[in-house]
Amino acid sequence: MTGTATREILKLTARPEVISFAGGMPAAERLPCELIRGIADELLGGARARELLQYGQTEGLKDLRAELIEYLGTIGLKAADEQLQVLSGGQQGLDLMCKAFLDKGDVVLVEDPTYLAFLQIVKTYEAIAVGVSADENGLVLGDLEDKLKKYRPKLLYTVPTFSNPTGKTYTAENRKSIIALCERYGVVVIEDDPYGRLRYDGEEVPTMKSFDTSGTVVFISSFSKTVAPSLRVAFAFGEPSLIRKLSIGKQCADVQSPALCQAIVAEYLRRGHFYPTLEKSIAAYRKRKDAFLAALDAYMPDGVRYTRPNGGLFIWAELPKNIDAAAMLPEAVARNVAYIQGCEFYADGGGRNTMRLNFSNSDEQRIDSGVKILSELIKSKL
Amino acid sequence: MTGTATREILKLTARPEVISFAGGMPAAERLPCELIRGIADELLGGARARELLQYGQTEGLKDLRAELIEYLGTIGLKAADEQLQVLSGGQQGLDLMCKAFLDKGDVVLVEDPTYLAFLQIVKTYEAIAVGVSADENGLVLGDLEDKLKKYRPKLLYTVPTFSNPTGKTYTAENRKSIIALCERYGVVVIEDDPYGRLRYDGEEVPTMKSFDTSGTVVFISSFSKTVAPSLRVAFAFGEPSLIRKLSIGKQCADVQSPALCQAIVAEYLRRGHFYPTLEKSIAAYRKRKDAFLAALDAYMPDGVRYTRPNGGLFIWAELPKNIDAAAMLPEAVARNVAYIQGCEFYADGGGRNTMRLNFSNSDEQRIDSGVKILSELIKSKL
């Protein structure tokens, strides 16, 4: 097993003087502390307190699963109880999917670039991640089919809505075609959806799962970015036979998720706090995203290209080919600005001249200063 | 991956009319709901609320690690921060140890019988658990050395204090000899210690870790049985190089444990609630253990043998050879009494005539009725 960049970066961002565009944290001031405090107090003072501190079922708290069915309805998904597995963060779902499906040497297809922690998880199972090229519509279907034929992969991993790291969203047509191809080749699709509710502009695109008529897609989503990361409450939604594999894996991995955290999220949903609180975060993040793009437009030299995402937490920047973003990171940190070098997100290496920029966790002023510092550093390399 | 008996049994025990000697749950009425409520309310109302809901470090909350160092001091262990990894339940530590050390086909030595979930975890890594025979002193050293030579195992897994399932405790001499042998053969020892603080009678025996001068032992303990199971707060204590493997594994598995649960346990320890609350549980569990043994003495026919544990949660019963405890379970459940068939705890099968009996989660009256029903069922088989 190898070390992880994310972890080291989470440490960096702890230094207050660092303007961190690394990480993918919600804004601390957006976290609904008082709502959660009130719910926790009622739960621990109520009739169910003992139940919430005692061992519970691996599948997850019944109330939470019931609320998840309601919640999924609000995003156009019709779920049944036996199609749900509560997870300790969406990443646990990625780990358990790999544990259930991958043997040493197996291939997993991923978008190039993709979520770096998924690449690290695949490594821990001694499996091989192969990158599929992508364009503004989503995955390049010809390349996907070639690689489905060539590698006979076990899984396709996607973050189709406000992708980590690029912030891009696959079109509805692209989603349908990906599912059709994966059905034909009998490949399970992981739809990782941590950011789907964080839309700032443009039209809602239906989830891949909503186009899935054959049970090819396992939809994994989380409340880390929309309620609170450290409650570690997430879930998987898929065919009972696949969900059962995750349940068995979770039984071995950690028995169950903490019931108190599950009950807090269940109550938070039941009391209708989710969307009203989310709306406020969306308004704040939209401002930050726009401020970030405005600063990039104002300061970045020609030859630097970047995405203009409609949602999520990230902007993806491509620097002139001669600039190595990984080599430049220590210089940036010395100037108190942090980002993640894009090469971390590539299955097959490459992307040395790219970087992932988070806009949710810095205010407009720090965004402006940080982008300015970064732009000057880049100019000095031209 | 195979299904798990534990999980099905946890479901059984949900039926209120069932007198369950299965599972290994603390008594619901012993769970410190009000203390935890007060702590949670102060934490979520205080200056650190946002920090506790935001992403944190994989290694665990700094406060909790500081309190763990104090706590370990109270049981004769001197730990440093870099020797600690916070876990989501002790079982996560077992899973991460297997993930870090085992490749397909590798051998792990275990006591025969041992904790069934560990056997299931080993299976999920396609490794092989080989049983070492045990006697009243602990592991049979001759058999251990033969199997260290023969199988060249990667790990030895032990529950040396109030073992799950037998309730037995290895002697100090046996512990020292096990460590010496494993040092010689370069085998890492897992000391799983969920029950060590639950002593009702007899003299404290030092942990295996306290005899470990070479870093051979990884000590894994949990607050599931002593504070509250569903907080899922546990930890591993070992050499930094081994702990680092667990941290990398956890980074991939679930990023971090919920900070709120970690902070609740840290405060619970810091405020000195741990030992006074534990003393009350110990008094209650001692009564139940004695009531269980009294009922066994009163009702069980000749030819049924059972352990008389000084602590922990379990009594281990051996029935006449002709009685199959697994085949008898449905009949027992039909009479509203549940236990776990002992064969689940054997690496190499066997133990068909054994059963694990939990005494912590039923009051004296239900213990008496349940043991009586079980005894009559057994008599009917003689």
Side-chain angles (χ1 to χ4, degrees):
Chain A
M1 296 195 294
T2 71
T4 71
T6 325
R7 196 157 66 142
E8 300 314 312
I9 280 143
L10 279 174
K11 285 178 185 165
L12 271 184
T13 60
R15 277 172 43 205
E17 66 274 22
V18 173
I19 299 173
S20 179
F21 302 144
M25 299 198 223
E29 65 275 17
R30 303 298 332 146
L31 297 170
C33 302
E34 273 310 309
L35 290 174
I36 289 171
R37 179 193 188 179
I39 290 170
D41 192 50
E42 285 184 46
L43 288 170
L44 289 168
R48 296 175 50 218
R50 286 172 175 177
E51 177 202 335
L52 296 179
L53 295 177
Q54 185 59 282
Y55 281 110
Q57 287 190 13
T58 300
E59 292 80 351
L61 214 60
K62 250 195 159 0
D63 322 43
L64 177 58
R65 298 213 309 278
E67 291 302 325
L68 289 175
I69 290 169
E70 290 290 312
Y71 168 73
L72 286 166
T74 68
I75 60 170
L77 291 171
K78 197 173 168 353
D81 189 65
E82 66 274 16
Q83 295 175 302
L84 296 172
Q85 172 62 55
V86 172
L87 301 166
S88 291
Q91 188 158 317
Q92 182 175 54
L94 309 185
D95 183 61
L96 294 178
M97 283 295 291
C98 289
K99 194 175 192 175
F101 283 90
L102 302 183
D103 290 317
K104 187 173 183 172
D106 285 343
V107 167
V108 189
L109 297 184
V110 300
E111 179 178 350
D112 224 1
T114 193
Y115 177 42
L116 63 85
F118 185 76
L119 297 175
Q120 289 155 352
I121 291 167
V122 169
K123 278 205 199 96
T124 63
Y125 291 99
E126 300 177 79
I128 299 146
V130 173
V132 175
S133 50
D135 59 23
E136 60 288 352
N137 298 319
L139 296 182
V140 174
L141 299 171
D143 191 47
L144 174 59
E145 182 155 24
D146 293 346
K147 284 167 176 163
L148 285 167
K149 280 198 195 117
K150 181 173 176 191
Y151 295 105
R152 295 282 159 189
K154 294 283 181 73
L155 296 169
L156 168 67
Y157 172 72
T158 66
V159 190
T161 309
F162 314 133
S163 147
N164 179 0
T166 67
K168 285 192 302 185
T169 295
Y170 301 0
T171 64
E173 276 318 305
N174 191 255
R175 292 169 190 235
K176 290 179 199 165
S177 309
I178 290 167
I179 293 169
L181 277 172
C182 289
E183 268 175 12
R184 190 175 321 145
Y185 291 91
V187 172
V188 172
V189 178
I190 301 172
E191 178 177 23
D192 189 8
D193 185 51
Y195 313 110
R197 307 294 77 65
L198 295 171
R199 173 174 288 279
Y200 316 127
D201 313 296
E203 283 305 305
E204 199 67 41
V205 181
T207 61
M208 288 180 83
K209 187 62 182 165
S210 68
F211 297 123
D212 174 27
T213 52
S214 63
T216 303
V217 178
V218 175
F219 179 82
I220 295 174
S221 191
S222 163
F223 296 100
S224 293
K225 308 302 191 289
T226 52
V227 180
S230 197
L231 291 175
R232 314 301 302 129
V233 176
F235 64 93
F237 164 39
E239 284 309 291
S241 59
L242 302 181
I243 290 301
R244 171 85 181 151
K245 286 178 194 286
L246 297 185
S247 305
I248 292 166
K250 185 172 170 67
Q251 168 69 29
C252 287
D254 65 4
V255 186
Q256 65 171 99
S257 296
L260 178 59
C261 298
Q262 294 184 64
I264 287 170
V265 171
E267 271 302 293
Y268 190 89
L269 291 167
R270 196 183 66 76
R271 297 179 185 192
H273 294 318
F274 184 78
Y275 283 110
T277 312
L278 181 65
E279 277 315 312
K280 297 198 192 94
S281 300
I282 285 173
Y285 294 161
R286 182 188 290 113
K287 275 212 196 78
R288 290 177 173 194
K289 185 260 295 176
D290 291 341
F292 211 114
L293 289 170
L296 289 168
D297 294 344
Y299 303 128
M300 280 291 170
D302 298 346
V304 176
R305 291 183 301 134
Y306 39 87
T307 54
R308 305 188 88 88
N310 287 333
L313 302 179
F314 306 112
I315 292 167
W316 180 252
E318 221 172 288
L319 311 180
K321 283 262 171 285
N322 68 299
I323 301 179
D324 183 328
M328 194 175 73
L329 182 59
E331 297 176 68
V333 172
R335 292 165 171 74
N336 290 328
V337 180
Y339 57 84
I340 304 188
Q341 60 272 32
C343 55
E344 296 283 344
F345 300 88
Y346 282 84
D348 323 324
R352 303 291 303 180
N353 62 320
T354 59
M355 53 173 66
R356 191 191 73 175
L357 301 164
N358 166 261
F359 55 78
S360 60
N361 201 29
S362 309
D363 63 34
E364 285 82 344
Q365 198 196 321
R366 283 165 74 85
I367 285 171
D368 187 80
S369 325
V371 172
K372 194 167 185 181
I373 292 165
L374 211 50
S375 305
E376 278 153 11
L377 179 58
I378 290 164
K379 282 176 192 155
S380 74
K381 307 272 173 199
L382 293 175
Chain B
M1 296 196 292
T2 70
T4 71
T6 323
R7 196 157 66 141
E8 300 314 313
I9 280 144
L10 280 174
K11 286 177 185 167
L12 272 184
T13 60
R15 277 171 41 205
E17 66 274 22
V18 172
I19 299 173
S20 179
F21 302 145
M25 300 199 227
E29 65 275 17
R30 300 302 328 147
L31 298 169
C33 301
E34 272 310 309
L35 290 173
I36 289 172
R37 179 193 188 180
I39 290 169
D41 191 52
E42 285 184 48
L43 289 169
L44 289 168
R48 296 174 51 219
R50 285 172 176 177
E51 178 203 335
L52 295 179
L53 295 176
Q54 186 57 283
Y55 282 110
Q57 287 189 14
T58 300
E59 293 80 350
L61 213 59
K62 247 190 163 0
D63 321 45
L64 177 58
R65 299 213 308 277
E67 291 301 326
L68 289 175
I69 289 169
E70 291 291 312
Y71 169 73
L72 285 166
T74 67
I75 60 170
L77 292 170
K78 197 175 169 350
D81 189 65
E82 66 275 15
Q83 295 175 303
L84 296 172
Q85 172 62 55
V86 173
L87 301 165
S88 291
Q91 189 158 316
Q92 182 175 54
L94 308 186
D95 184 61
L96 294 178
M97 283 296 290
C98 289
K99 194 175 191 174
F101 282 90
L102 301 183
D103 290 318
K104 188 174 181 170
D106 285 343
V107 168
V108 189
L109 297 184
V110 300
E111 179 178 351
D112 224 1
T114 194
Y115 177 41
L116 64 86
F118 184 77
L119 297 175
Q120 290 154 353
I121 291 167
V122 169
K123 278 204 199 96
T124 65
Y125 292 99
E126 299 177 78
I128 299 148
V130 173
V132 175
S133 49
D135 59 23
E136 60 289 350
N137 297 320
L139 296 181
V140 174
L141 300 170
D143 192 47
L144 174 59
E145 181 154 26
D146 292 346
K147 284 168 176 162
L148 286 166
K149 279 199 196 116
K150 180 173 176 191
Y151 294 105
R152 296 281 159 192
K154 294 284 180 71
L155 297 168
L156 168 66
Y157 172 71
T158 65
V159 190
T161 310
F162 314 131
S163 149
N164 179 359
T166 66
K168 286 193 301 186
T169 296
Y170 301 1
T171 64
E173 277 317 305
N174 190 256
R175 293 169 188 234
K176 290 179 198 163
S177 309
I178 290 168
I179 293 170
L181 276 171
C182 289
E183 268 175 13
R184 189 175 321 143
Y185 290 91
V187 172
V188 172
V189 178
I190 301 173
E191 178 177 23
D192 189 9
D193 184 51
Y195 313 110
R197 306 295 76 65
L198 295 170
R199 174 173 288 277
Y200 316 126
D201 313 296
E203 282 305 303
E204 199 68 41
V205 180
T207 61
M208 289 180 81
K209 186 63 183 163
S210 68
F211 296 124
D212 174 27
T213 53
S214 63
T216 303
V217 178
V218 175
F219 179 81
I220 294 175
S221 191
S222 164
F223 297 100
S224 293
K225 308 301 192 289
T226 52
V227 181
S230 197
L231 292 175
R232 315 300 302 128
V233 176
F235 64 93
F237 163 40
E239 284 309 290
S241 59
L242 301 181
I243 290 300
R244 171 84 181 152
K245 287 179 195 284
L246 297 186
S247 305
I248 292 165
K250 186 171 170 68
Q251 168 69 31
C252 286
D254 64 4
V255 186
Q256 65 172 98
S257 296
L260 178 59
C261 298
Q262 294 183 64
I264 286 170
V265 171
E267 271 303 292
Y268 190 90
L269 291 166
R270 196 182 66 76
R271 297 180 184 192
H273 294 319
F274 184 79
Y275 282 110
T277 312
L278 181 65
E279 278 314 312
K280 298 197 192 97
S281 300
I282 284 174
Y285 294 161
R286 181 189 291 113
K287 276 213 197 78
R288 290 179 172 193
K289 185 261 295 176
D290 291 341
F292 210 114
L293 289 171
L296 288 168
D297 294 344
Y299 304 128
M300 280 290 171
D302 297 345
V304 176
R305 293 182 300 133
Y306 39 87
T307 55
R308 306 189 87 89
N310 286 333
L313 302 178
F314 306 112
I315 292 167
W316 180 252
E318 220 171 292
L319 311 180
K321 283 261 172 285
N322 68 300
I323 300 179
D324 183 328
M328 192 175 73
L329 183 59
E331 298 176 67
V333 172
R335 292 164 171 73
N336 290 328
V337 179
Y339 58 84
I340 303 188
Q341 61 271 33
C343 56
E344 296 282 343
F345 300 87
Y346 281 85
D348 323 323
R352 303 291 303 178
N353 63 319
T354 59
M355 54 172 66
R356 191 191 73 175
L357 300 164
N358 166 261
F359 55 78
S360 60
N361 200 30
S362 309
D363 63 34
E364 285 81 344
Q365 198 198 321
R366 283 164 74 86
I367 285 172
D368 188 79
S369 322
V371 172
K372 193 166 186 180
I373 292 165
L374 210 51
S375 305
E376 278 152 12
L377 179 58
I378 291 164
K379 282 176 194 157
S380 73
K381 307 272 174 199
L382 294 174

